[in-house]
Amino acid sequence: AVVWLIGRLAAEMGGGRFAQALAMLAAVCTPIYLGLAHIYSMNIFDVLFWALTALLLVRIANGATGRVWIALGVVLGLGLQNKISVLWLGAGLLISLLLTAHRKHLRTPGPWIAGAIAGLIFLPHVLWQMTHGWPTLEFMANATSDKMVALQIVPFLAEQVLFMSPSAVWLWVGGLVWLFRPAGARYRPLAWIWLSVLAILLASGSARPVYMAPAYTWLLAAGGVATEGFLASAGRRRLRPAAIALVLSGLLLAPLALPLLPVPTYVRYAERLGVAPGTDERKELAELPQFYADMHGWDEIVETVAEVFDQLADEEKATAAVFARNYGVAGAVDLLGRRHGLP
């Protein structure tokens, strides 16, 4: 769905089949999208909601009104229910409207209706947070102070190049530049949204580089349109296969995002590429990066917990069950670990 939406974005921005194909292939070959889509979680749906938002904004820029703003509010509201990082997207959207000629929309009901709908959909979550002591804010504060490494600007930006594929940097950078040129001026709010989200994350001091991933969907689409225009002349059209081949070479990094190789083979492959195991968290790593290392050891964990649980008195079993129900299995494991010295 994300790949299809990127193609639609390119088409809505005026791109032909080559622009659409190039943008969609880039999405398929992007390590971060491969990795996020491999694991069923809110993260890949976050990319989907951001891409949907961008598509609706492009349609508004092309003259759509009325129901599109309503649809935008629904998408933003559902996106917030999925992951509150959509607040960054909302902030970027507001900034982009203020900084471009699209501020005229603020004098119409559309943006306010969209914001109200999004707020109503998000309201149950906010009320739940209020009645439960704002646990998500507590989690975020603890993660910032105890879990996440401090953000360094240069490594943060370097990670953008790696997880979006070094062979496709020219595409999304070209898309960003195109949005600031006269040809892409109509869709310039998307550029300001990307820059605004980047500024917000850099200012946070502890953001993961991957948090920027959803904001690249429209840059890939814009890059496809820009490349198609650049290669439109007869003399440059023969470079189209080279552009596609360059984007496809990003698949060489697929083993860095997906568990495609056995561990020994992966280690040798990563060493050949010069990519060292990395993590955004305060933990030690061996030969594997965190995404791959975290896929190992689950059977052993289950067996160890089960052995300890079977040795508990009935009263302690009941207590562990309550912890599991109220705080998740992790809470029960933590309880057992504290009482019985589990590593």
Side-chain angles (χ1 to χ4, degrees), residues 70-83:
I70 295 174
L72 179 62
V74 172
V75 169
L76 289 173
L78 294 176
L80 284 167
Q81 286 281 22
N82 175 68
K83 196 170 182 181

Side-chain angles (χ1 to χ4, degrees), residues 5-7 9-10 13 19 22-24 26-27 30 33 50-51 54-55 58 160 163-164 168-180 184 187-198 212-227:
L5 282 169
I6 289 173
L9 274 167
M13 291 180 186
L22 187 65
M24 294 168 77
T30 296
Y33 293 159
W50 285 53
L55 181 62
V58 166
Q160 307 298 310
F163 74 58
M164 289 301 296
V169 171
W170 59 273
L171 184 64
W172 59 263
V173 170
L176 181 63
V177 172
W178 181 80
L179 290 171
F180 280 107
Y187 314 110
R188 191 166 297 164
L190 294 175
W192 283 113
I193 292 174
W194 187 87
L195 291 171
S196 298
V197 173
L198 177 64
M212 280 295 298
Y216 285 94
T217 51
W218 55 81
L219 292 191
L220 294 178
V225 178
T227 304

